[in-house]
Amino acid sequence: ISLGYSDQVGYMLNEDYSRFNARINVDNNITEWLTVGIQSFLSISDYSGVEVNPRFRYEHNPFIPVYDENGEYVTYPGSQLLNPLLSAGNDDLDKRLNLSGNIYANIDIPFVQGLSYKVNYSNNRIYKSNYGFSEVGANLRGSGYKTESINNDWTADNILTYSRMFNSIHNVNATFVYGLENRNFTSTNASASVFINPVLGYNRLQAGSADLYDVSSAA
């Protein structure tokens, strides 16, 4: 059993990242000829925060003021380019939950020397939540979105192995494999722009202009 936590600050604004992970591995010799086991893994990752677009790092004069006399961000400091700190302050949520596991059983066929059979099943499931809202989007009129997606993959393997030496000089090794694989994906996205009231951000997309709603789904 193991537990872990990572918290990375990064060098640039909003490059921070955090992750919690847990793992449980179990192996059990049921009999002399039967072994079963499981490996399971859980991780919760947080990538939230909008990084500053790299182009702003060299297209803006590093000496121009980004705040006005009232301490507010200047929208267009010294050029037609948007203040990069405005987009860096966007509400942004990017979290992922990953569950994976592998179960197996290994059988040494007791009545046939050198013959063994292994069955292996693994499953990997990922939940992603990505929400964002920018008050400076849509030409400073506000834009937001919410996206939910689920990935689920599984594989199953059947492995038959025969390995034996005869008369101390002849070796026979043979492996037969039959496997199955399945991949599924589903997602739903909703977005809006030109907000009447931006207070609740991506948690009230209906506050955007009705003729600019966008809804999509995929699988």
Side-chain angles (χ1 to χ4, degrees), residues 162-208:
Y162 183 72
S163 179
R164 188 174 176 183
M165 177 177 284
F166 297 91
N167 300 325
S168 300
I169 56 174
H170 301 294
N171 284 304
V172 176
N173 288 282
T175 300
F176 303 91
V177 180
Y178 177 72
L180 298 171
E181 181 176 324
N182 183 276
R183 298 179 183 274
N184 289 293
F185 166 79
T186 182
S187 70
T188 301
N189 176 78
S191 63
S193 58
V194 186
F195 278 69
I196 300 171
N197 187 337
V199 173
L200 296 180
Y202 54 65
N203 287 319
R204 189 171 174 79
L205 295 177
Q206 62 268 37

Side-chain angles (χ1 to χ4, degrees), residues 120-182:
N120 189 76
Y121 174 80
S122 63
N123 189 286
N124 186 45
R125 194 171 181 87
I126 302 174
Y127 298 88
K128 294 182 181 179
S129 296
N130 191 197
Y131 311 156
F133 181 79
S134 172
E135 288 195 45
V136 297
N139 293 320
L140 307 181
R141 292 178 295 176
S143 62
Y145 67 90
K146 264 191 170 185
T147 300
E148 297 281 358
S149 64
I150 301 174
N151 293 66
N152 190 76
D153 307 329
W154 63 261
T155 59
D157 297 308
N158 299 272
I159 306 169
L160 187 67
T161 303
Y162 183 72
S163 179
R164 188 174 176 183
M165 177 177 284
F166 297 91
N167 300 325
S168 300
I169 56 174
H170 301 294
N171 284 304
V172 176
N173 288 282
T175 300
F176 303 91
V177 180
Y178 177 72
L180 298 171
E181 181 176 324
N182 183 276

Side-chain angles (χ1 to χ4, degrees), residues 72-129:
E72 301 292 335
Y73 286 129
V74 177
T75 305
Y76 297 102
S79 70
Q80 297 301 311
L81 295 175
L82 189 69
N83 188 332
L85 294 180
L86 286 171
S87 59
N90 291 348
D91 289 334
D92 180 77
L93 182 144
D94 186 354
K95 293 185 176 182
R96 306 170 193 182
L97 170 64
N98 186 193
L99 295 165
S100 62
N102 183 68
I103 303 173
Y104 78 90
N106 193 67
I107 304 172
D108 292 320
I109 308 300
F111 47 84
V112 181
Q113 184 179 348
L115 183 64
S116 65
Y117 169 71
K118 183 177 183 179
V119 58
N120 189 76
Y121 174 80
S122 63
N123 189 286
N124 186 45
R125 194 171 181 87
I126 302 174
Y127 298 88
K128 294 182 181 179
S129 296

Side-chain angles (χ1 to χ4, degrees), residues 29-51:
N29 296 317
I30 305 298
T31 68
E32 292 183 354
W33 50 270
L34 175 61
T35 301
V36 297
I38 181 172
Q39 294 93 38
S40 59
F41 179 76
L42 163 71
S43 71
I44 302 173
S45 304
D46 189 350
Y47 296 86
S48 301
V50 179
E51 295 182 26

